[in-house]
Amino acid sequence: MTGTTTGITVAIIPARGGSKGVPGKNLRRVGGVPLVERAVRAAATADGIDLVVVSTDDERIAAVAHAAGARTIARPAELSGDTASSESALLHALDVLEADGIRVATVVFVQATSPFLPSAGIAEAAAHIAAGRFDSVLSAHETYGFLWRRDGDGNAVAINHVAAHRPRRQDREPHYLETGAFYAFDAQGFRAAGHRFFGRIGIVEVPASTAIEIDDEQQLALADALARAAGDALAPHNIGDLHNLGTIPADGSETAQNSERADAGCRADATNPAPAGIAAPARIPASVLVTDFDGVHTDDTAFVDSEGCETVRVSREDGMGVSRLRRAGIPMLILSTEQNPVVARRAEKLQVPVLHGVDDKASALAAWADENGIALADIAYVGNDVNDLGPLGLVGWPIAVADAHPAVKAVARVVLSRGGGRGAVREVIERMLPR
């Protein structure tokens, strides 16, 4: 613990289950990651934070927060309505912690609805309070904008400038616009004031590009698009510079090559030339891999001969990848709705367990994970079509193949550069293997 002699520094994230503007807002995904998980991870990686707490009235939010490493506190119903203040949730969380013998010196109030939380800014805010430089601190970005308001007659009235005088930017004093992303304050002073602003108030300046706050579906869509464009879904420093993004390279025509055929005993395998290597971008730190079959191991087409024998195309480099995954001791499962001998045949050849003929894939996955003592947050699930949306919504790493249905790509944390049956499984395995 890095707390002072009078207590520790705690980041508290209030996250209600109810939201009128964006239903289930705190569990909605930006860059494939639930908003509450993004907040927990940003706070947990900030220097000087000793404990991350999520206060919630929702069991699903609590489960995601716990899996991300936060302590959860059950928020009473009377503090969870639309009119309840954030301050009331913070005070309740402090009461619970102190009843457990945890003395809190500094509180960092973090908003899950701000998807691009800068960990460095959180650390700076906590340090200001711990050092006694300020009593409370807010996050804000610099602005030189000319602000106006309407009077009672609807006329425009200048606020932060004289309308008749229009100075150059370099001649103006900057103002700071509060982002709402995070605040920090002395715990004892907060209890006395009952509000986040008191005493000496400081500003932690953050980039304007991190100031998006999710209040409606349009803002959620914009944030998700920015996260995916930036390549690193959790790194706010990438958001402001979309000209220097680390993106996954396009696969090109090479993906249509290097496949084999897996059948149900109709004919022997037919192979193409050996595959080229796959370059692995950012590592996927999941510890278990679960995949759909059709459209992931295959290109989602089937060949049927005159005798009704069905054959599908699969990638030999996927097979090599699965072999490497087994040697690394990383568990894998194939989960398919198809009751087809070809699925069992391919799984047997790969030496991978399979559940097929499954109608409710989400329930089957949850039961399998529970039976094997695996946390859903540790699973990477690769899918391609709408029947994969259930399991994709359960796991920590929802992944879509390159040619997946748009609805699948929309919820994916990672969209691969390769399509089903064209090296997608190998690509995700290469990104999961220890480096």
Side-chain angles (χ1 to χ4, degrees), residues 151-299:
D151 65 16
D153 296 324
N155 298 316
V157 179
I159 294 177
N160 63 341
H161 64 288
V162 177
H165 178 56
R166 184 58 53 123
R168 299 175 304 168
R169 176 188 175 94
Q170 58 266 39
D171 296 329
R172 297 186 64 207
E173 177 186 1
H175 292 91
Y176 293 89
L177 183 64
E178 184 180 337
T179 69
F182 61 85
Y183 307 83
F185 32 80
D186 173 75
Q188 185 175 354
F190 172 64
R191 282 192 176 280
H195 195 271
R196 71 193 75 173
F197 297 123
F198 56 90
R200 297 163 299 160
I201 301 173
I203 294 173
V204 171
E205 188 175 345
V206 298
S209 55
T210 68
I212 295 176
E213 189 171 11
I214 307 300
D215 287 318
D216 56 41
E217 292 287 352
Q218 290 74 22
Q219 290 167 334
L220 181 68
L222 174 61
D224 185 60
L226 287 171
R228 295 180 188 283
D232 185 345
L234 289 169
H237 59 273
N238 284 349
I239 301 301
D241 186 6
L242 295 181
H243 297 290
N244 296 295
L245 300 178
T247 56
I248 299 173
D251 183 285
S253 59
E254 178 181 299
T255 57
Q257 303 173 354
N258 312 319
S259 64
E260 67 178 20
R261 291 191 174 197
D263 58 30
C266 296
R267 55 175 64 87
D269 291 341
T271 61
N272 282 322
I278 298 176
R283 184 171 183 270
I284 296 172
S287 58
V288 178
L289 176 62
V290 180
T291 71
D292 184 21
F293 185 74
D294 288 324
V296 175
H297 288 264
T298 79
D299 60 3

Side-chain angles (χ1 to χ4, degrees), residues 24-38 64 115 220-221 223-225 227-228 389-398 410-413:
K25 177 165 61 175
N26 287 305
L27 290 175
R28 299 290 291 274
R29 295 175 182 263
V30 169
V33 184
L35 283 169
V36 68
E37 180 181 343
R38 296 178 72 90
V64 171
L220 181 68
D224 185 60
R228 295 180 188 283
L389 291 174
L392 286 167
L394 293 179
V395 302
W397 285 88
V411 301
R413 186 166 181 171

Side-chain angles (χ1 to χ4, degrees), residues 260 315-324 326 346 350:
E260 67 178 20
S315 169
R316 185 172 292 281
E317 61 182 316
D318 284 351
M320 178 60 71
V322 172
S323 177
R324 296 189 66 202
R326 288 201 318 272
R346 180 60 175 168
L350 294 175

Side-chain angles (χ1 to χ4, degrees), residues 69-212:
R71 170 172 174 171
T72 59
I73 290 177
R75 186 169 171 178
E78 61 270 22
L79 302 181
S80 302
D82 292 338
T83 59
S85 68
S86 297
E87 277 81 356
S88 65
L90 297 172
L91 288 167
H92 173 262
L94 288 175
D95 288 342
V96 171
L97 293 175
E98 294 189 8
D100 289 344
I102 299 174
R103 297 191 63 186
V104 179
T106 300
V107 176
V108 180
F109 165 29
V110 178
Q111 300 267 41
T113 51
S114 293
F116 303 121
L117 288 158
S119 295
I122 292 173
E124 181 182 344
H128 281 316
I129 304 302
R133 287 187 286 270
F134 301 105
D135 299 302
S136 63
V137 168
L138 69 142
S139 62
H141 68 83
E142 186 179 76
T143 177
Y144 289 85
F146 294 102
L147 300 181
W148 296 78
R149 66 175 178 84
R150 288 192 179 98
D151 65 16
D153 296 324
N155 298 316
V157 179
I159 294 177
N160 63 341
H161 64 288
V162 177
H165 178 56
R166 184 58 53 123
R168 299 175 304 168
R169 176 188 175 94
Q170 58 266 39
D171 296 329
R172 297 186 64 207
E173 177 186 1
H175 292 91
Y176 293 89
L177 183 64
E178 184 180 337
T179 69
F182 61 85
Y183 307 83
F185 32 80
D186 173 75
Q188 185 175 354
F190 172 64
R191 282 192 176 280
H195 195 271
R196 71 193 75 173
F197 297 123
F198 56 90
R200 297 163 299 160
I201 301 173
I203 294 173
V204 171
E205 188 175 345
V206 298
S209 55
T210 68
I212 295 176

Side-chain angles (χ1 to χ4, degrees), residues 329-404:
I330 298 176
M332 180 176 176
L333 172 73
I334 294 175
L335 182 61
S336 175
T337 56
E338 290 292 323
Q339 183 68 58
N340 192 321
V342 74
V343 181
R345 168 78 185 275
R346 180 60 175 168
E348 179 182 6
K349 182 170 183 178
L350 294 175
Q351 301 176 49
V352 170
V354 60
L355 296 175
H356 59 123
V358 175
D359 291 327
D360 187 347
K361 297 173 80 170
S363 295
L365 176 59
W368 177 81
D370 184 62
E371 290 169 5
N372 290 275
I374 297 170
L376 290 168
D378 294 334
I379 296 175
Y381 182 92
V382 186
N384 76 301
D385 215 331
V386 293
N387 62 343
D388 293 310
L389 291 174
L392 286 167
L394 293 179
V395 302
W397 285 88
I399 298 173
V401 296
D403 49 355

